[in-house]
Amino acid sequence: AMGEVYRGYHSMLHRPTAVKLLNLDLVNDASIARFEREVQITCKLNNPHTVAIYDYGRTPEGVFYYAMEYLDGIDLQTLVERYGPQSESRVIHILRQMCSSLYEAHSQGLVHRDIKPANTMLNHRGSEPDFVKVLDFGLVKALDDEKQAKLSSAGSLTGTPLYMSPESIQTPHAVDARSDLYAVGAVGYYLLTGHPIFEATSIVELCNLHVTAAPVPPSQKTSQPISNELEHAILSCLEKSLAKRPQTARDLSLLLDRSPQAAAWSIEEADLWWSQHSREMQAEFSKPISELTATRAESENPAAGSKDEGDSFDQTVIG
């Protein structure tokens, strides 16, 4: 919500780089503090499934920026929109990598607070297909940092309504690592079914459903088979009570391992998928920025909360 991202080129290293600049319309002391905090926090994270930061500074005009690794894969939102619900084995493969990224962040007292399909990229990294990268720690909360609360507007929602936990709606100051795991469960639900856990005609209605309604089991919203073990893991994440959810990202990863399909997604299958679709994705990246933005705008559904202002980073940025 605070910046835009461009594809740049490092003049000395001769490699593409993603460069995020602070939105000039939002420049004030609070936004600069949040932007600098995003850089400093993300730089501390070393997990291979967390986007890497290369450098940061200010342009000659004084605009704050940072440079990060350029990812030319596909975000999970686009993956489902374009190719439909994913197999159980692939979903488990993706979710475990998300857990790996989040476990490190949570171990350092950080909560992402905006886990969603559009903030998770699926890539072909070197010789390894289906390599996950978690993006955009711009809404991150340090559990032991009281000053962070001053960087958010009073009474505002922090996150994306389709993937927000009940406590992030009712008591946002009380979110912790288990709030991120609720969102991971919601992402898994979307990957399996092609639908969010709740659909509504307004953000108020959507938030009320997160707080009060029980989700329909994913096996009832798709024709593809879902094991009892995976369904249990997803629904455990979506419990209203923090105490009933997996307590850590590693606990969730262990639950996912119990599925009979946990090791079924093979490198051969992943390589085949990428060989079939990589050319199509490269064509998408070569489009002009204006065309990408127009395409994204056509698919938005703000009334249901499916896109928020923060999506300017992960929905329209790289061309």
Side-chain angles (χ1 to χ4, degrees):
M2 297 184 299
E4 297 197 38
V5 181
Y6 299 86
R7 182 174 60 189
Y9 190 75
H10 197 290
S11 60
M12 297 183 68
L13 297 178
H14 302 288
R15 66 181 177 190
T17 303
V19 183
K20 185 171 184 178
L21 293 92
L22 185 63
N23 190 329
L24 290 174
D25 295 333
L26 300 175
V27 172
N28 55 51
D29 291 342
S31 61
I32 291 175
R34 284 190 63 180
F35 205 71
E36 290 181 338
R37 177 181 176 81
E38 178 179 345
V39 176
Q40 293 162 357
I41 287 175
T42 309
C43 283
K44 295 178 182 178
L45 303 176
N46 296 313
N47 190 278
H49 298 294
T50 302
V51 66
I53 302 296
Y54 294 148
D55 198 4
Y56 70 95
R58 294 178 186 270
T59 69
E61 296 78 20
V63 178
F64 192 86
Y65 74 89
Y66 69 84
M68 54 191 161
E69 62 180 316
Y70 176 76
L71 305 173
D72 58 356
I74 185 171
D75 66 70
L76 300 185
Q77 181 78 29
T78 305
L79 176 72
V80 173
E81 288 176 352
R82 188 175 295 169
Y83 303 109
Q86 302 298 298
S87 68
E88 174 169 342
S89 57
R90 193 181 199 187
V91 171
I92 293 171
H93 180 72
I94 291 170
L95 296 183
R96 285 193 299 196
Q97 293 178 77
M98 294 176 66
C99 287
S100 177
S101 171
L102 290 173
Y103 185 75
E104 182 201 22
H106 295 163
S107 297
Q108 296 192 26
L110 305 175
V111 181
H112 189 288
R113 298 205 297 180
D114 198 24
I115 293 295
K116 59 183 177 181
N119 274 347
T120 310
M121 289 281 290
L122 196 61
N123 308 273
H124 194 290
R125 305 287 289 174
S127 60
E128 187 169 351
D130 267 16
F131 196 88
V132 168
K133 287 281 187 175
V134 176
L135 314 177
D136 202 356
F137 280 77
L139 298 177
V140 76
K141 174 187 176 183
L143 297 181
D144 59 353
D145 189 350
E146 296 180 358
K147 292 185 293 183
Q148 171 63 11
K150 300 177 182 178
L151 302 182
S152 299
S153 301
S156 65
L157 286 175
T158 302
T160 302
L162 280 175
Y163 302 94
M164 290 176 69
S165 65
E167 66 275 7
S168 66
I169 296 168
Q170 294 179 301
T171 55
H173 63 280
V175 302
D176 63 18
R178 295 167 294 181
S179 304
D180 279 348
L181 299 186
Y182 182 96
V184 172
V187 170
Y189 192 104
Y190 176 72
L191 290 172
L192 287 168
T193 67
H195 300 279
I197 50 176
F198 299 117
E199 297 178 88
T201 57
S202 71
I203 291 179
V204 172
E205 181 187 356
L206 182 62
C207 290
N208 185 59
L209 289 171
H210 279 295
V211 172
T212 63
V216 175
S219 60
Q220 297 180 24
K221 297 188 74 172
T222 180
S223 58
Q224 69 175 0
I226 299 176
S227 69
N228 292 334
E229 291 83 355
L230 178 58
E231 185 158 90
H232 169 70
I234 297 294
L235 293 178
S236 294
C237 292
L238 300 177
E239 289 281 359
K240 307 301 182 190
S241 169
L242 285 163
K244 292 182 179 180
R245 294 178 206 157
Q247 297 300 288
T248 70
R250 185 161 289 173
D251 291 339
L252 174 55
S253 188
L254 292 173
L255 280 179
L256 295 169
D257 286 344
R258 296 178 183 176
S259 166
Q261 295 294 311
W265 182 251
S266 66
I267 291 179
E268 290 78 13
E269 286 179 287
D271 272 332
L272 178 61
W273 189 92
W274 282 93
S275 66
Q276 290 174 337
H277 301 295
S278 59
R279 182 173 299 179
E280 176 185 347
M281 286 187 285
Q282 288 299 323
E284 180 77 6
F285 278 113
S286 66
K287 290 180 180 179
I289 290 275
S290 58
E291 185 176 346
L292 283 171
T293 304
T295 301
R296 294 294 191 185
E298 291 172 0
S299 65
E300 289 186 355
N301 182 13
S306 61
K307 301 284 188 290
D308 66 353
E309 292 182 359
D311 286 341
S312 61
F313 173 22
D314 42 60
Q315 293 292 332
T316 65
V317 300
I318 298 176

PDB file of all heavy atoms in Angstrom, residues 185-206:
ATOM      1  N   GLY A 185      -3.888 -21.360   6.256  1.00  0.00           N
ATOM      2  CA  GLY A 185      -5.005 -22.277   6.032  1.00  0.00           C
ATOM      3  C   GLY A 185      -5.959 -21.752   4.979  1.00  0.00           C
ATOM      4  O   GLY A 185      -6.458 -22.509   4.134  1.00  0.00           O
ATOM      5  N   ALA A 186      -6.216 -20.439   5.004  1.00  0.00           N
ATOM      6  CA  ALA A 186      -7.100 -19.826   4.010  1.00  0.00           C
ATOM      7  C   ALA A 186      -6.490 -19.901   2.613  1.00  0.00           C
ATOM      8  O   ALA A 186      -7.203 -20.108   1.619  1.00  0.00           O
ATOM      9  CB  ALA A 186      -7.392 -18.378   4.396  1.00  0.00           C
ATOM     10  N   VAL A 187      -5.177 -19.734   2.518  1.00  0.00           N
ATOM     11  CA  VAL A 187      -4.490 -19.871   1.224  1.00  0.00           C
ATOM     12  C   VAL A 187      -4.600 -21.309   0.730  1.00  0.00           C
ATOM     13  O   VAL A 187      -4.892 -21.563  -0.448  1.00  0.00           O
ATOM     14  CB  VAL A 187      -3.015 -19.443   1.336  1.00  0.00           C
ATOM     15  CG1 VAL A 187      -2.245 -19.815   0.072  1.00  0.00           C
ATOM     16  CG2 VAL A 187      -2.914 -17.939   1.590  1.00  0.00           C
ATOM     17  N   GLY A 188      -4.369 -22.275   1.616  1.00  0.00           N
ATOM     18  CA  GLY A 188      -4.496 -23.680   1.235  1.00  0.00           C
ATOM     19  C   GLY A 188      -5.896 -24.014   0.761  1.00  0.00           C
ATOM     20  O   GLY A 188      -6.076 -24.754  -0.224  1.00  0.00           O
ATOM     21  N   TYR A 189      -6.890 -23.472   1.440  1.00  0.00           N
ATOM     22  CA  TYR A 189      -8.295 -23.673   1.056  1.00  0.00           C
ATOM     23  C   TYR A 189      -8.531 -23.160  -0.362  1.00  0.00           C
ATOM     24  O   TYR A 189      -9.160 -23.825  -1.189  1.00  0.00           O
ATOM     25  CB  TYR A 189      -9.168 -22.922   2.060  1.00  0.00           C
ATOM     26  CG  TYR A 189     -10.649 -23.232   2.011  1.00  0.00           C
ATOM     27  CD1 TYR A 189     -11.229 -24.049   2.983  1.00  0.00           C
ATOM     28  CD2 TYR A 189     -11.482 -22.681   1.042  1.00  0.00           C
ATOM     29  CE1 TYR A 189     -12.599 -24.315   2.974  1.00  0.00           C
ATOM     30  CE2 TYR A 189     -12.833 -22.947   1.011  1.00  0.00           C
ATOM     31  CZ  TYR A 189     -13.394 -23.760   1.987  1.00  0.00           C
ATOM     32  OH  TYR A 189     -14.743 -24.032   1.966  1.00  0.00           O
ATOM     33  N   TYR A 190      -7.999 -21.972  -0.647  1.00  0.00           N
ATOM     34  CA  TYR A 190      -8.156 -21.368  -1.973  1.00  0.00           C
ATOM     35  C   TYR A 190      -7.447 -22.190  -3.049  1.00  0.00           C
ATOM     36  O   TYR A 190      -7.985 -22.406  -4.140  1.00  0.00           O
ATOM     37  CB  TYR A 190      -7.606 -19.940  -1.934  1.00  0.00           C
ATOM     38  CG  TYR A 190      -7.635 -19.239  -3.267  1.00  0.00           C
ATOM     39  CD1 TYR A 190      -8.837 -18.816  -3.837  1.00  0.00           C
ATOM     40  CD2 TYR A 190      -6.455 -18.981  -3.960  1.00  0.00           C
ATOM     41  CE1 TYR A 190      -8.862 -18.166  -5.064  1.00  0.00           C
ATOM     42  CE2 TYR A 190      -6.473 -18.324  -5.188  1.00  0.00           C
ATOM     43  CZ  TYR A 190      -7.675 -17.924  -5.732  1.00  0.00           C
ATOM     44  OH  TYR A 190      -7.694 -17.290  -6.950  1.00  0.00           O
ATOM     45  N   LEU A 191      -6.242 -22.668  -2.746  1.00  0.00           N
ATOM     46  CA  LEU A 191      -5.496 -23.462  -3.716  1.00  0.00           C
ATOM     47  C   LEU A 191      -6.229 -24.760  -4.053  1.00  0.00           C
ATOM     48  O   LEU A 191      -6.222 -25.214  -5.203  1.00  0.00           O
ATOM     49  CB  LEU A 191      -4.108 -23.779  -3.177  1.00  0.00           C
ATOM     50  CG  LEU A 191      -3.114 -22.621  -3.071  1.00  0.00           C
ATOM     51  CD1 LEU A 191      -1.855 -23.078  -2.339  1.00  0.00           C
ATOM     52  CD2 LEU A 191      -2.760 -22.077  -4.444  1.00  0.00           C
ATOM     53  N   LEU A 192      -6.860 -25.359  -3.065  1.00  0.00           N
ATOM     54  CA  LEU A 192      -7.538 -26.641  -3.272  1.00  0.00           C
ATOM     55  C   LEU A 192      -8.875 -26.500  -3.987  1.00  0.00           C
ATOM     56  O   LEU A 192      -9.250 -27.367  -4.788  1.00  0.00           O
ATOM     57  CB  LEU A 192      -7.772 -27.321  -1.921  1.00  0.00           C
ATOM     58  CG  LEU A 192      -6.553 -27.929  -1.222  1.00  0.00           C
ATOM     59  CD1 LEU A 192      -6.906 -28.292   0.212  1.00  0.00           C
ATOM     60  CD2 LEU A 192      -6.050 -29.155  -1.978  1.00  0.00           C
ATOM     61  N   THR A 193      -9.603 -25.431  -3.680  1.00  0.00           N
ATOM     62  CA  THR A 193     -10.983 -25.318  -4.162  1.00  0.00           C
ATOM     63  C   THR A 193     -11.183 -24.272  -5.251  1.00  0.00           C
ATOM     64  O   THR A 193     -12.188 -24.317  -5.971  1.00  0.00           O
ATOM     65  CB  THR A 193     -11.923 -24.960  -2.994  1.00  0.00           C
ATOM     66  OG1 THR A 193     -11.615 -23.630  -2.530  1.00  0.00           O
ATOM     67  CG2 THR A 193     -11.770 -25.950  -1.844  1.00  0.00           C
ATOM     68  N   GLY A 194     -10.272 -23.311  -5.342  1.00  0.00           N
ATOM     69  CA  GLY A 194     -10.475 -22.193  -6.257  1.00  0.00           C
ATOM     70  C   GLY A 194     -11.393 -21.131  -5.693  1.00  0.00           C
ATOM     71  O   GLY A 194     -11.755 -20.175  -6.392  1.00  0.00           O
ATOM     72  N   HIS A 195     -11.787 -21.279  -4.429  1.00  0.00           N
ATOM     73  CA  HIS A 195     -12.678 -20.323  -3.767  1.00  0.00           C
ATOM     74  C   HIS A 195     -12.085 -19.902  -2.426  1.00  0.00           C
ATOM     75  O   HIS A 195     -11.438 -20.701  -1.746  1.00  0.00           O
ATOM     76  CB  HIS A 195     -14.061 -20.948  -3.511  1.00  0.00           C
ATOM     77  CG  HIS A 195     -14.765 -21.377  -4.747  1.00  0.00           C
ATOM     78  ND1 HIS A 195     -15.463 -20.510  -5.559  1.00  0.00           N
ATOM     79  CD2 HIS A 195     -14.886 -22.611  -5.317  1.00  0.00           C
ATOM     80  CE1 HIS A 195     -15.992 -21.170  -6.572  1.00  0.00           C
ATOM     81  NE2 HIS A 195     -15.654 -22.451  -6.465  1.00  0.00           N
ATOM     82  N   PRO A 196     -12.319 -18.653  -2.009  1.00  0.00           N
ATOM     83  CA  PRO A 196     -11.929 -18.266  -0.653  1.00  0.00           C
ATOM     84  C   PRO A 196     -12.816 -18.972   0.356  1.00  0.00           C
ATOM     85  O   PRO A 196     -13.891 -19.487   0.010  1.00  0.00           O
ATOM     86  CB  PRO A 196     -12.157 -16.748  -0.633  1.00  0.00           C
ATOM     87  CG  PRO A 196     -13.209 -16.514  -1.679  1.00  0.00           C
ATOM     88  CD  PRO A 196     -12.965 -17.542  -2.750  1.00  0.00           C
ATOM     89  N   ILE A 197     -12.407 -18.974   1.611  1.00  0.00           N
ATOM     90  CA  ILE A 197     -13.201 -19.678   2.624  1.00  0.00           C
ATOM     91  C   ILE A 197     -14.567 -19.045   2.817  1.00  0.00           C
ATOM     92  O   ILE A 197     -15.551 -19.730   3.083  1.00  0.00           O
ATOM     93  CB  ILE A 197     -12.458 -19.770   3.977  1.00  0.00           C
ATOM     94  CG1 ILE A 197     -11.927 -18.402   4.406  1.00  0.00           C
ATOM     95  CG2 ILE A 197     -11.339 -20.765   3.909  1.00  0.00           C
ATOM     96  CD1 ILE A 197     -11.271 -18.416   5.772  1.00  0.00           C
ATOM     97  N   PHE A 198     -14.645 -17.719   2.677  1.00  0.00           N
ATOM     98  CA  PHE A 198     -15.920 -17.021   2.769  1.00  0.00           C
ATOM     99  C   PHE A 198     -16.043 -16.049   1.598  1.00  0.00           C
ATOM    100  O   PHE A 198     -15.068 -15.435   1.182  1.00  0.00           O
ATOM    101  CB  PHE A 198     -16.029 -16.233   4.085  1.00  0.00           C
ATOM    102  CG  PHE A 198     -15.947 -17.091   5.317  1.00  0.00           C
ATOM    103  CD1 PHE A 198     -14.906 -16.926   6.219  1.00  0.00           C
ATOM    104  CD2 PHE A 198     -16.904 -18.061   5.577  1.00  0.00           C
ATOM    105  CE1 PHE A 198     -14.822 -17.711   7.352  1.00  0.00           C
ATOM    106  CE2 PHE A 198     -16.825 -18.855   6.707  1.00  0.00           C
ATOM    107  CZ  PHE A 198     -15.779 -18.684   7.602  1.00  0.00           C
ATOM    108  N   GLU A 199     -17.265 -15.932   1.079  1.00  0.00           N
ATOM    109  CA  GLU A 199     -17.549 -14.964   0.027  1.00  0.00           C
ATOM    110  C   GLU A 199     -18.713 -14.104   0.481  1.00  0.00           C
ATOM    111  O   GLU A 199     -19.691 -14.608   1.040  1.00  0.00           O
ATOM    112  CB  GLU A 199     -17.856 -15.689  -1.280  1.00  0.00           C
ATOM    113  CG  GLU A 199     -16.674 -16.493  -1.798  1.00  0.00           C
ATOM    114  CD  GLU A 199     -16.969 -17.254  -3.077  1.00  0.00           C
ATOM    115  OE1 GLU A 199     -16.798 -16.675  -4.164  1.00  0.00           O
ATOM    116  OE2 GLU A 199     -17.371 -18.421  -2.967  1.00  0.00           O
ATOM    117  N   ALA A 200     -18.609 -12.790   0.242  1.00  0.00           N
ATOM    118  CA  ALA A 200     -19.606 -11.859   0.743  1.00  0.00           C
ATOM    119  C   ALA A 200     -19.757 -10.703  -0.226  1.00  0.00           C
ATOM    120  O   ALA A 200     -18.975 -10.545  -1.161  1.00  0.00           O
ATOM    121  CB  ALA A 200     -19.202 -11.360   2.131  1.00  0.00           C
ATOM    122  N   THR A 201     -20.780  -9.872   0.016  1.00  0.00           N
ATOM    123  CA  THR A 201     -21.036  -8.720  -0.841  1.00  0.00           C
ATOM    124  C   THR A 201     -20.460  -7.432  -0.277  1.00  0.00           C
ATOM    125  O   THR A 201     -20.529  -6.390  -0.929  1.00  0.00           O
ATOM    126  CB  THR A 201     -22.549  -8.544  -1.054  1.00  0.00           C
ATOM    127  OG1 THR A 201     -23.195  -8.402   0.222  1.00  0.00           O
ATOM    128  CG2 THR A 201     -23.126  -9.759  -1.771  1.00  0.00           C
ATOM    129  N   SER A 202     -19.914  -7.491   0.930  1.00  0.00           N
ATOM    130  CA  SER A 202     -19.301  -6.303   1.528  1.00  0.00           C
ATOM    131  C   SER A 202     -18.195  -6.741   2.468  1.00  0.00           C
ATOM    132  O   SER A 202     -18.171  -7.890   2.950  1.00  0.00           O
ATOM    133  CB  SER A 202     -20.332  -5.472   2.289  1.00  0.00           C
ATOM    134  OG  SER A 202     -20.737  -6.146   3.475  1.00  0.00           O
ATOM    135  N   ILE A 203     -17.286  -5.823   2.756  1.00  0.00           N
ATOM    136  CA  ILE A 203     -16.203  -6.123   3.678  1.00  0.00           C
ATOM    137  C   ILE A 203     -16.747  -6.358   5.080  1.00  0.00           C
ATOM    138  O   ILE A 203     -16.252  -7.234   5.812  1.00  0.00           O
ATOM    139  CB  ILE A 203     -15.161  -4.990   3.668  1.00  0.00           C
ATOM    140  CG1 ILE A 203     -14.431  -4.977   2.327  1.00  0.00           C
ATOM    141  CG2 ILE A 203     -14.162  -5.144   4.810  1.00  0.00           C
ATOM    142  CD1 ILE A 203     -13.400  -3.887   2.190  1.00  0.00           C
ATOM    143  N   VAL A 204     -17.760  -5.625   5.490  1.00  0.00           N
ATOM    144  CA  VAL A 204     -18.348  -5.808   6.823  1.00  0.00           C
ATOM    145  C   VAL A 204     -18.912  -7.214   6.961  1.00  0.00           C
ATOM    146  O   VAL A 204     -18.685  -7.911   7.966  1.00  0.00           O
ATOM    147  CB  VAL A 204     -19.448  -4.753   7.078  1.00  0.00           C
ATOM    148  CG1 VAL A 204     -20.188  -5.067   8.384  1.00  0.00           C
ATOM    149  CG2 VAL A 204     -18.842  -3.352   7.133  1.00  0.00           C
ATOM    150  N   GLU A 205     -19.660  -7.664   5.948  1.00  0.00           N
ATOM    151  CA  GLU A 205     -20.212  -9.019   5.979  1.00  0.00           C
ATOM    152  C   GLU A 205     -19.100 -10.055   5.987  1.00  0.00           C
ATOM    153  O   GLU A 205     -19.172 -11.058   6.721  1.00  0.00           O
ATOM    154  CB  GLU A 205     -21.110  -9.234   4.765  1.00  0.00           C
ATOM    155  CG  GLU A 205     -21.752 -10.617   4.720  1.00  0.00           C
ATOM    156  CD  GLU A 205     -22.509 -10.878   3.430  1.00  0.00           C
ATOM    157  OE1 GLU A 205     -22.596  -9.954   2.594  1.00  0.00           O
ATOM    158  OE2 GLU A 205     -22.997 -12.014   3.240  1.00  0.00           O
ATOM    159  N   LEU A 206     -18.058  -9.821   5.194  1.00  0.00           N
ATOM    160  CA  LEU A 206     -16.948 -10.760   5.128  1.00  0.00           C
ATOM    161  C   LEU A 206     -16.247 -10.887   6.478  1.00  0.00           C
ATOM    162  O   LEU A 206     -15.956 -11.994   6.948  1.00  0.00           O
ATOM    163  CB  LEU A 206     -15.957 -10.304   4.055  1.00  0.00           C
ATOM    164  CG  LEU A 206     -14.740 -11.190   3.796  1.00  0.00           C
ATOM    165  CD1 LEU A 206     -15.178 -12.565   3.298  1.00  0.00           C
ATOM    166  CD2 LEU A 206     -13.811 -10.529   2.785  1.00  0.00           C
TER     167      LEU A 206
END
